[in-house]
Structures are given as C-alpha cells and as structure tokens.
Amino acid sequence: MTQQQNANPSAGSENGIMAVVVGPSGAGKDTLISLATEHFTNHPDVHFVRRVITRDGDAGGEDHISVSQEGFAAMRQAGSFAVWWEAHGLKYGIPAEVSSSLARGQLVVANGSRSALHLFQSAFPRLKVVNITARAEVLAGRLQARGRETHDEIMARLARGPLTVRGDFDVVEIDNSGSIEEARLNVIRVFNGFLQDLKQG
C-alpha cells in the first residue's frame, strides 16, 4: 500500500510536461518505459527519470538509483526530491533536478504509482498520466508466469482495486493485452502527442 508522503509545491512551476506512467503489476509498464527510452534516446526534448529507490541496484526491473534507507532519508531532508512516496516497504523518489528539464520546456517521463498521483499533481501543474492496463486474464497469466504468488493470491490482488485511474487527472489509457510491439507503438504515439502539446504552448 502506498502511503501519502511529500510533494514539493515549487517543483513544477515550469513550461514542460511531466508524464507519469502507472499501471498494475503485470501490465508491462517497465517494459514499455524501457522501449520508449530506446526510441527517444537521442531526442533533445524528452527526458526519462531515473527514480531513487531503496532497493538493490541489481534487483532487476527498471534502471534506478539505489540507496539505503538512511541515504534516502538524508536526501529527503536535503530537499533532493520533487516527489517521494512509500509502497510495499520501499521508498521511491523523483529527483528535484527534473525541474531543470521542465524549465527548458521538455517532456519528462517518470515511472509512478497510481496511489501517489495526487503528489505528482501537487508538484507538477502540467501533468499527464499514462495508465498501462491489460485484461484481467492477461494480467493473471503474466503474474502466474513470474511464479512469485499462488493463483489465489493473484486473484485476490486483481480483485483489490480497479485497473483504471481514479481522480481528476488528465489520463491516457494504453491496453497492453496484445503484442508488445502494438503497445510500444501506442506509447510512442502518446509521447509524440505530448511533444506536439509542448510546441503549441
């Protein structure tokens, strides 16, 4: 469960767009962010955030900055995060340096959490939410393949909450129930749309 934590109210007073990517376990969020990063790697107006996480650097999954609990606390006290939150025993932080990219009018893409979206909304005036979803049976199959939970545990996880985003947010939904290539193209299309928004002011 994500606990309400902190948002820096001055972090997002800029011209750029913060796009936060969210989605349930098994939806393929990390994979799609990685593929989008590859596509936009040389684009001068797109910045992908490396989150600070109290998790081992070699734990797999996303490319992140690994710190200890003590290190995270010190960074938080120093004002090093634009947004930070806690979920499932880990702490996550969006570095305050993203404000420099936003001030330059860039599209900033961050891996987020649906239950922390109110923190992002407080920190970033121009917030876009990209919700990666998949049909329940697809999610169940992917989670089953990981082998970390029993079938009953997976069903209980999927029953705990909706797959959609609740709240007053500007949300784009991407269904990743089909091929990863189709979802990759959809993510790229969405990000290109945000870049068009930036050009139009």
Side-chain angles (χ1 to χ4, degrees), residues 24-43:
S25 295
K29 177 181 65 169
D30 291 348
T31 298
L32 290 178
I33 291 175
S34 178
L35 291 171
T37 302
E38 292 177 9
H39 179 82
F40 289 102
T41 187
N42 294 318
H43 198 296

Side-chain angles (χ1 to χ4, degrees), residues 20 121 127-131 165 167-172 194 197:
V20 57
Q121 190 174 55
L127 178 68
K128 304 283 188 179
V129 179
V130 182
N131 186 37
V165 171
D168 185 20
F169 303 104
D170 186 353
V171 183
V172 177
F194 295 161
D197 291 343

Side-chain angles (χ1 to χ4, degrees), residues 22 29 31 39 57 106 109 111 149 190 195 199:
V22 299
K29 177 181 65 169
T31 298
H39 179 82
Q106 293 182 335
V109 181
N111 191 337
E149 299 170 289
V190 167
L195 289 170
K199 290 180 181 179

